[in-house]
Amino acid sequence: MSDDPNALLDTWAETSDYRWGFTTDIESETLPPGLDEDVIRKISAIKREPEWMLQFRLDAFAHWKTMPEPDWAHFPDRPWGPLDYQAISYYSAPKTDADRPKSLDEVDPKLLETYEKLGIPLEERAALAGVAVDAVFDSVSVATTFRDTLKEAGVIFCSFSEAVQEYPELVQKYLGSVVPSKDNFFAALNAAVFTDGSFVFVPKGVACPMELSTYFRINAMNTGQFERTLIVCDEGASVSYLEGCTAPQRDENQLHAAVVELIAETDATIKYSTIQNWYPGDEDGKGGIYNFVTKRGLCRGDRSHISWTQVETGSAITWKYPSCVLKGDDSSGEFYSVALTNMRQQADTGTKMVHIGRNTTSNIVSKGISAGHGQNTYRGLVKVRPGATNVRNFTQCDSMLMGSECGAHTFPVIEVENDTAIVEHEATTTRIGEDKIFYLNQRGLTTEEAVSMIVNGFCREVLAELPMEFAVEARKLLEVSLEDSVG
Amino acid sequence: MTTMTRFADALMAAVNGDEGREAALARFNDRGWPTRRDEAFRYLDLRPLHGVDWALSGAQRADECVGLELPGAITLVFVGGRFDEAASDPMPEGVSIGNCHDSIAADVDPFTDLCLAACDQTLHIKIEAEVSLSGPLHIVHETRSDEPMLSAQRCVISAQANSSCVVVESIRLEGNVLCTPVTEISAAPEARVEFARIIDGTEDAWCCGTIAVRAEADAVVHASAIPFGGCVNRTRLESTLAGEHAHVDLRGLGVAGGNRHVETVLSVRHAAPDCTSNMLFKHVLGDTARASFTGRINVDEGAHGTDAVQTSRNMLLSDGAKAWSRPQLEIYADDVKCTHGSTTGRPDAEADFYLRARGIDPGTTASLLVWAFAAEVLDELEPSALRVQAASRLLDQLPGGDKLDPTVVAPDAEPDAT
Amino acid sequence: MSLLEIRNLHATVEGVEILKGIDLTIEAGSVHSIMGPNGSGKSTLAKVLAGDEVYEVTEGAVLLDGEDLLEMEADERARSGIFMAFQYPVEIPGVSTKYFLRAAVNAVRSHRGLDPLDAVGFLKMVKERAPMVDLDPTLLDRSVNEGFSGGEKKRAEVFQMAMLEPSMCVLDETDSGLDIDALKVVADGVNALRSPDRGFVVITHYQRLLEYIVPDHVHVLVDGRIARSGGKELAFELEEKGYSWIEQGSACGC
């Protein structure tokens, strides 16, 4: 074993495998690859959607066709070619005899096995952790639990397709109100072809009695996933929503273009946490998920609060900027992020905080860790509009570099158009300290333990924001990668 | 471009078969003026320049020369970009005027291209190895014109190994003038260059310039840009640390009221190991003035031991003022220490209370805090006479500056009690 | 007429009441010490007297030489003779200490109907008074408090007090963060400034400082009220028995 910690880190980056890569052979009912109006009409028909929903999709599609594919992101050594959108299949559903299963018993046992392998035993987890799970397998919800408890509290938590059937007026009112269907290239694509996702509505004054959680999983070959999540918290309501994903190993690049919209009315609080561990591709950068996500929250009412927390360790390429539009007076937004890239991974992530209301505050903590040939970019915007008085923002952006082939980049934009604002941005970039590793070695820890400890310390502020069960999982995820760093 | 006949003809005539200058002109004509969609010009509206038919000559000397007084300085005067021998000191050895083909400005913009194309009187300053210039070189540029006038000024400073020099550029613009000063500084191993550009302009003058720096091993370059007036003041500061243990210190201060716009585009490239860079840029904005700052630090692969610090601070004094800040890091080496910090806000309330708790009236405390904020940028200016004069001008420009005692400029210069 | 008279003073910060009715009269020439556990409102009292706008006075009155102090802005109070030595002196980068102090001295002088000091007169005064607190005069060339050590900051506060010649000095935990030698220097400086026409409020958590600045009166502040007052021996009693002794006493009303 080499004595040079940085050499060890280089080795780690080269040897770490994707542990959780496996596939499940369930037959899928899949539309043939290709995208045109007919495909969209078919998706809408399969889902028995009302006319307004179809129209929403068709408008988005018409606009999408006029939009250029974005190429602005920072990808120094991964040439980003246009994707072939005609090679993607836009609908696949697990083959079942009738409609969706009504309970866990009706779910294909193989599916449940898959969750077991992932360490997410659905029924156990649901029972033990008190978490309601709306699991998305490919594009259709296959199981939902704890619906009754939630119903009792008045909380609506269901698949997006179900919401379109059951609560059309709510969906119609809020859909596209934060992320318009023409917002950007991938949001427009999502609006045109999204197949399912989650819908949450927490009525006035209700604190959602449990953490809501969704696990995503890409499985079928060449199937892009286009989830759409809509969470609405009415006046004085609150909810904490967890999203976690992991994907089986694949050779082919897969597109994931989700849209998440959050709306917080007066005095409402929404906390949205993500662990993202899609398949990152192999050491040579072959395969892996393209994760192009649009996430945005609107603090519409006074004193409303939206908090984004994310741990991003997977995907070949991630573009993701969970944002807050702070419209209500005294509203606040938060963004806590850990992004770890190794091998040939590229993460380009950050947030936008748009201050419109008076006395609005935002807090940004971003931790980027780059290893192997990984490239990690923070890209963010803090904007203070002219009428937004007494705005306060603090941004802390730290990068850690391991090994000599990786990169860390920071591109914040700060636009202040009101003189009463206080806006502060700090960023640092450092390598993982040899002196720290040595100190811990000297106290009897192995280099891998030391690295793990240092990385966890580096991310502590962000991990502390995750709900307990998630924090444990996130720490494990970081450790798993780091254990392999010194073989 | 058809409306710009006089300007286009004059440019064609100016390049006059010179290959480098023709290439610059071709680049300018091909690209045209950038729009706000261009990332580098996102905040600056160039539409007022569209179709303007600038003259390339015919400038007048300003009625009143308010140059800097730098003791022991050799002063060289340019009017409208053209050398005025009568008004200048005799040219010292190593300094000459002529044509120049090459430019170290790696990434040119339309203003640099205009300058490279139009300027046929480039000032060359060559400091021989082991030579230390005794006094500062003071380059005075004056352009006064009521008709649209382009003033293209270019200076190439080449400091040979282990030499040292101090160069001060003071630019004064009056009237309908677009000035595009380009100064290139090459510092050979162990050379030391102090450079400052002070810009004063009337309210319709534009100054869009470039300062390009290349520092070889163990060289030290300090460069400052201090715009005090003009409608639009844009400075591109671009530097490359090309040899081990090189150091650059880049500073900028913009004080703007009215509807002025101050823009700084900064880039520092660490291309060699163990180099250090320090950047400090501040803006004080009143009325509806705007400031935009883009600062990028690039650390190339292999540039280990890099230590780079970039600070950008904006103080807003009125509700119509706007500040945009884009501090950026792009890093491809792991053994580095890079930080950037950016703040925007009003004067600090705690400090204000402390001063008032000592009996100083609110108007004065506010002025004092604004002064203190801005003056920090001037701290390292060389020679000290420049620091004092820049500070005096700052005091004149500063909102509430009249409330402060002039000794605030140089408290050290007070007579000692005996 | 008393130098400073505080009557039923109530103050809040962000809606929370910190001072809940303080009565205190300070005669010229006397030194009052205010002691109390953390969070009892000691520093709040100092800042309210100095005019920090973070605190809102909701009830009561404060008179300095018979004038309504609460009507005055912070700087007017300072010119009228109130001086607060800050617990955490603020660093103000870019403002030279010399310039700042001359501006302050001349503001106070003009209030008293005196001519402003010129640079020479000012430096003469500095040279006279800097040795009182053993202050390194080169500190005056630096920015206000910037890069000063903890001890230097506190000495600079007392030095400013000597320069401004206030009638009412409020020392807010001036002993915090000082080692014993620095403490003695600061205390000597304060003692040298004691005079028949000057009053002091010395706020401290520990009795230690009062060994060097011997107070005429000691007040114990608990939960925003003066729970007990006495002579200097009260400080020694507190040292022995701790604050819980008073807190319990005040809780059961005896």
Side-chain angles (χ1 to χ4, degrees):
Chain A
M1 196 161 117
S2 163
D3 290 332
D4 175 8
N6 285 295
L8 291 172
L9 290 167
D10 284 343
T11 324
W12 158 55
E14 299 305 326
T15 54
S16 88
D17 289 318
Y18 187 74
R19 289 200 159 186
W20 296 341
F22 41 80
T23 57
T24 315
D25 49 349
I26 296 177
E27 285 176 73
S28 288
E29 186 179 79
T30 302
L31 283 182
L35 180 56
D36 56 22
E37 250 189 61
D38 282 348
V39 168
I40 289 166
R41 285 176 193 281
K42 259 181 214 156
I43 294 172
S44 193
I46 292 172
K47 304 176 76 62
R48 295 191 299 277
E49 287 176 351
E51 182 58 28
W52 60 265
M53 192 68 250
L54 174 63
Q55 206 47 54
F56 177 83
R57 292 175 180 279
L58 292 174
D59 287 350
F61 180 64
H63 191 75
W64 177 77
K65 285 191 291 187
T66 68
M67 298 173 96
E69 194 176 14
D71 60 354
W72 49 270
H74 185 83
F75 295 130
D77 66 11
R78 184 171 188 129
W80 157 250
L83 286 173
D84 183 358
Y85 295 92
Q86 297 303 331
I88 294 171
S89 163
Y90 288 87
Y91 186 81
S92 85
K95 197 174 181 182
T96 45
D97 289 344
D99 286 313
R100 287 184 313 103
K102 298 277 186 297
S103 74
L104 285 177
D105 304 336
E106 292 177 33
V107 172
D108 190 326
K110 274 208 176 139
L111 245 185
L112 295 177
E113 261 177 53
T114 309
Y115 288 121
E116 292 282 349
K117 280 192 213 165
L118 285 168
I120 311 153
L122 195 55
E123 64 279 42
E124 257 188 72
R125 191 179 179 86
L128 290 176
V131 169
V133 176
D134 176 26
V136 175
F137 185 82
D138 283 353
S139 313
V140 170
S141 295
V142 290
T144 306
T145 52
F146 283 109
R147 296 274 294 272
D148 294 341
T149 321
L150 291 170
K151 231 173 200 163
E152 231 165 78
V155 176
I156 300 168
F157 177 32
C158 61
S159 75
F160 204 100
S161 342
E162 201 178 337
V164 171
Q165 304 298 330
E166 303 286 324
Y167 313 101
E169 63 295 327
L170 280 178
V171 175
Q172 203 171 357
K173 178 176 174 190
Y174 289 109
L175 176 69
S177 68
V178 186
V179 181
S181 61
K182 297 166 184 175
D183 190 79
N184 66 65
F185 185 83
F186 293 107
L189 180 61
N190 175 290
V193 304
F194 76 92
T195 40
D196 218 327
S198 299
F199 177 77
V200 178
F201 182 83
V202 189
K204 252 180 208 176
V206 172
C208 182
M210 61 185 68
E211 312 256 5
L212 303 179
S213 154
T214 304
Y215 283 86
F216 295 90
R217 191 164 167 75
I218 291 180
N219 207 324
M221 191 78 120
N222 282 336
T223 303
Q225 281 231 325
F226 303 95
E227 273 80 28
R228 192 150 187 124
T229 301
L230 177 55
I231 300 177
V232 181
C233 253
D234 211 338
E235 281 177 32
S238 64
V239 69
S240 170
Y241 188 88
L242 320 179
E243 169 207 310
C245 34
T246 172
Q249 189 148 3
R250 283 288 175 207
D251 271 337
E252 250 141 292
N253 291 319
Q254 290 176 303
L255 177 63
H256 181 82
V259 170
V260 177
E261 293 180 276
L262 312 182
I263 295 124
E265 301 285 6
T266 304
D267 291 309
T269 294
I270 301 176
K271 187 175 171 63
Y272 194 104
S273 313
T274 306
I275 291 184
Q276 185 267 112
N277 188 26
W278 303 105
Y279 174 54
D282 64 16
E283 295 103 84
D284 301 322
K286 200 169 168 228
I289 303 297
Y290 288 172
N291 189 29
F292 303 154
V293 181
T294 306
K295 288 182 168 175
R296 194 176 302 151
L298 172 63
C299 283
R300 184 144 75 179
D302 293 350
R303 296 172 301 280
S304 54
H305 176 71
I306 288 178
S307 172
W308 298 99
T309 305
Q310 60 176 25
V311 175
E312 303 279 323
T313 57
S315 295
I317 300 178
T318 298
W319 293 351
K320 183 179 171 189
Y321 316 94
S323 303
C324 296
V325 179
L326 303 165
K327 200 171 173 194
D329 291 347
D330 300 287
S331 62
S332 55
E334 289 176 313
F335 175 73
Y336 298 95
S337 169
V338 167
L340 188 149
T341 54
N342 77 43
M343 297 189 288
R344 304 269 171 183
Q345 278 178 282
Q346 313 233 338
D348 192 308
T349 185
T351 185
K352 293 180 189 178
M353 293 288 176
V354 181
H355 293 261
I356 300 170
R358 288 168 294 180
N359 309 320
T360 47
T361 56
S362 60
N363 195 23
I364 299 169
V365 179
S366 166
K367 306 281 181 176
I369 302 154
S370 314
H373 291 86
Q375 298 292 334
N376 214 317
T377 302
Y378 172 83
R379 197 184 297 275
L381 170 71
V382 174
K383 190 179 179 76
V384 180
R385 291 275 193 85
T389 48
N390 298 317
V391 163
R392 189 85 179 81
N393 159 267
F394 180 74
T395 303
Q396 175 75 47
C397 229
D398 296 322
S399 307
M400 186 181 267
L401 294 146
M402 300 190 206
S404 51
E405 315 283 339
C406 53
H409 321 292
T410 316
F411 302 113
V413 176
I414 300 152
E415 301 185 354
V416 181
E417 305 188 348
N418 186 295
D419 64 320
T420 58
I422 302 175
V423 176
E424 291 175 81
H425 176 101
E426 280 175 24
T428 61
T429 301
T430 43
R431 84 192 299 196
I432 188 162
E434 270 172 73
D435 50 341
K436 292 194 187 83
I437 293 176
F438 173 74
Y439 183 84
L440 293 172
N441 284 157
Q442 208 284 319
R443 294 291 180 267
L445 297 173
T446 64
T447 295
E448 72 187 19
E449 285 166 337
V451 167
S452 160
M453 192 174 281
I454 292 164
V455 167
N456 266 302
F458 178 71
C459 303
R460 193 185 53 232
E461 280 166 275
V462 175
L463 299 179
E465 289 298 319
L466 288 169
M468 187 67 91
E469 318 86 79
F470 246 33
V472 172
E473 204 175 308
R475 200 158 289 144
K476 220 163 93 186
L477 196 58
L478 292 174
E479 254 164 46
V480 160
S481 319
L482 294 164
E483 271 170 19
D484 292 341
S485 65
V486 280
Chain B
M1 296 269 160
T2 47
T3 56
M4 296 161 61
T5 325
R6 179 178 69 174
F7 180 49
D9 291 349
L11 275 178
M12 281 302 285
V15 300
N16 192 26
D18 180 292
E19 210 172 294
R21 293 169 59 190
E22 265 181 353
L25 180 60
R27 270 198 307 273
F28 175 75
N29 284 334
D30 285 355
R31 293 180 188 170
W33 292 114
T35 67
R36 306 274 285 263
R37 283 188 299 280
D38 187 319
E39 274 298 298
F41 289 87
R42 184 161 156 191
Y43 300 108
L44 185 59
D45 190 352
L46 297 182
R47 280 175 302 177
L49 300 180
H50 290 189
V52 178
D53 199 12
W54 287 285
L56 281 186
S57 58
Q60 320 257 305
R61 284 214 61 182
D63 295 338
E64 185 192 356
C65 183
V66 203
L68 299 161
E69 279 174 37
L70 305 177
I74 296 166
T75 303
L76 303 174
V77 179
F78 289 74
V79 176
R82 308 204 67 81
F83 185 55
D84 183 340
E85 200 173 351
S88 303
D89 289 329
M91 217 174 272
E93 205 180 322
V95 178
S96 61
I97 287 174
N99 210 349
C100 184
H101 307 278
D102 306 321
S103 171
I104 61 163
D107 183 23
V108 287
D109 72 347
F111 299 107
T112 314
D113 278 335
L114 269 185
C115 180
L116 299 186
C119 180
D120 60 358
Q121 289 204 336
T122 299
L123 178 66
H124 294 263
I125 299 171
K126 185 175 180 189
I127 313 295
E128 294 298 339
E130 313 293 330
V131 169
S132 277
L133 221 56
S134 59
L137 263 176
H138 183 199
I139 305 160
V140 178
H141 282 285
E142 290 195 3
T143 303
R144 187 172 77 91
S145 174
D146 297 328
E147 294 299 306
M149 158 104 199
L150 174 76
S151 177
Q153 322 172 347
R154 198 168 161 211
C155 174
V156 176
I157 301 169
S158 151
Q160 303 295 303
N162 202 23
S163 66
S164 79
C165 63
V166 177
V167 179
V168 178
E169 253 177 27
S170 70
I171 296 175
R172 188 174 157 75
L173 308 172
E174 244 186 87
N176 197 344
V177 173
L178 168 64
C179 180
T180 57
V182 173
T183 298
E184 295 155 48
I185 302 166
S186 301
E190 296 183 68
R192 193 184 163 90
V193 179
E194 295 275 352
F195 175 81
R197 176 185 285 170
I198 314 267
I199 304 152
D200 227 331
T202 53
E203 60 195 10
D204 41 3
W206 281 52
C207 186
C208 298
T210 293
I211 298 169
V213 174
R214 184 179 170 90
E216 303 292 344
D218 297 300
V220 175
V221 178
H222 290 192
S224 307
I226 300 159
F228 279 126
C231 167
V232 169
N233 247 307
R234 179 179 204 261
T235 306
R236 247 167 31 97
L237 256 162
E238 164 194 293
S239 66
T240 303
L241 293 134
E244 291 181 24
H245 299 286
H247 174 77
V248 297
D249 199 307
L250 306 174
R251 288 168 178 244
L253 170 66
V255 180
N259 195 32
R260 293 177 48 206
H261 190 143
V262 181
E263 177 160 279
T264 306
V265 180
L266 169 74
S267 106
V268 170
R269 161 159 252 116
H270 281 258
D274 299 314
C275 293
T276 52
S277 59
N278 191 18
M279 293 144 265
L280 176 66
F281 289 80
K282 289 190 172 185
H283 295 111
V284 178
L285 304 168
D287 303 326
T288 55
R290 290 142 292 151
S292 38
F293 172 83
T294 303
R296 176 174 291 212
I297 301 172
N298 283 77
V299 179
D300 287 357
E301 225 170 286
H304 299 296
T306 288
D307 190 340
V309 180
Q310 184 194 86
T311 308
S312 120
R313 300 201 190 290
N314 299 305
M315 192 177 264
L316 304 184
L317 302 177
S318 79
D319 56 11
K322 294 176 183 181
W324 303 290
S325 184
R326 296 188 292 176
Q328 309 179 334
L329 302 173
E330 195 171 337
I331 294 163
Y332 297 98
D334 72 333
D335 183 14
V336 299
K337 237 166 68 191
C338 289
T339 62
H340 67 225
S342 169
T343 57
T344 301
R346 280 178 163 174
D348 179 36
E350 240 185 81
D352 188 66
F353 174 65
Y354 186 83
L355 293 174
R356 286 172 54 208
R358 294 294 176 258
I360 301 173
D361 74 86
T364 308
T365 57
S367 308
L368 194 54
L369 290 174
V370 174
W371 160 261
F373 173 82
E376 187 195 356
V377 177
L378 308 178
D379 277 355
E380 309 276 313
L381 281 185
E382 289 290 342
S384 63
L386 172 63
R387 185 164 63 241
V388 172
Q389 285 175 65
S392 296
R393 285 207 188 178
L394 171 62
L395 201 62
D396 293 342
Q397 296 269 331
L398 216 56
D402 52 337
K403 289 205 164 63
L404 300 180
D405 192 312
T407 58
V408 73
V409 166
D412 299 342
E414 285 171 31
D416 207 357
T418 42
Chain C
M1 190 172 51
S2 304
L3 176 59
L4 187 76
E5 203 174 329
I6 303 173
R7 293 186 205 141
N8 189 32
L9 184 65
H10 289 254
T12 60
V13 60
E14 286 172 358
V16 180
E17 188 166 59
I18 311 287
L19 299 183
K20 301 175 178 173
I22 303 269
D23 289 283
L24 189 62
T25 302
I26 292 161
E27 303 296 340
S30 65
V31 174
H32 290 246
S33 168
I34 294 182
M35 304 185 67
N38 290 329
S40 59
K42 302 188 299 287
S43 285
T44 300
L45 177 61
K47 286 175 187 151
V48 166
L49 292 177
D52 191 339
E53 280 150 18
V54 172
Y55 302 90
E56 195 190 341
V57 173
T58 50
E59 216 183 319
V62 182
L63 302 178
L64 178 72
D65 287 321
E67 301 265 333
D68 185 350
L69 188 74
L70 300 180
E71 278 300 302
M72 300 181 204
E73 298 290 319
D75 49 303
E76 281 180 87
R77 298 182 194 201
R79 290 194 293 268
S80 301
I82 291 259
F83 181 96
M84 177 174 84
F86 283 60
Q87 182 180 1
Y88 303 109
V90 182
E91 297 192 10
I92 310 178
V95 175
S96 101
T97 307
K98 235 182 235 173
Y99 182 86
F100 145 72
L101 200 52
R102 185 146 80 91
V105 165
N106 282 337
V108 170
R109 284 178 70 91
S110 120
H111 184 80
R112 293 176 188 157
L114 301 170
D115 288 337
L117 284 182
D118 62 7
V120 176
F122 172 75
L123 284 177
K124 204 174 144 205
M125 189 172 169
V126 166
K127 285 210 166 153
E128 247 168 52
R129 308 204 175 173
M132 280 176 64
V133 282
D134 200 11
L135 192 76
D136 175 358
T138 63
L139 287 182
L140 299 175
D141 294 327
R142 290 206 227 151
S143 295
V144 176
N145 293 319
E146 197 183 37
F148 288 23
S149 71
E152 283 169 344
K153 279 183 183 163
K154 297 301 173 75
R155 267 188 268 176
E157 290 290 289
V158 176
F159 169 66
Q160 289 179 27
M161 189 158 90
M163 293 291 289
L164 295 176
E165 301 174 334
S167 56
M168 183 66 239
C169 307
V170 181
L171 279 68
D172 186 9
E173 306 219 14
T174 296
D175 51 334
S176 69
L178 294 186
D179 63 30
I180 196 71
D181 293 330
L183 186 71
K184 277 184 198 162
V185 172
V186 167
D188 287 348
V190 171
N191 287 329
L193 291 170
R194 287 175 77 154
S195 85
D197 47 12
R198 184 172 287 152
F200 283 86
V201 170
V202 178
I203 291 170
T204 181
H205 184 76
Y206 302 104
Q207 172 269 340
R208 193 177 68 150
L209 177 66
L210 305 181
E211 288 177 23
Y212 301 97
I213 305 175
V214 182
D216 303 305
H217 306 277
V218 173
H219 311 277
V220 183
L221 203 59
V222 176
D223 191 25
R225 292 184 187 88
I226 292 180
R228 190 176 288 247
S229 295
K232 62 185 176 207
E233 64 287 346
L234 180 56
F236 296 99
E237 211 170 334
L238 273 176
E239 180 75 356
E240 235 168 74
K241 302 184 181 172
Y243 285 113
S244 55
W245 162 62
I246 304 252
E247 281 169 8
Q248 283 157 9
S250 73
C252 68
C254 47

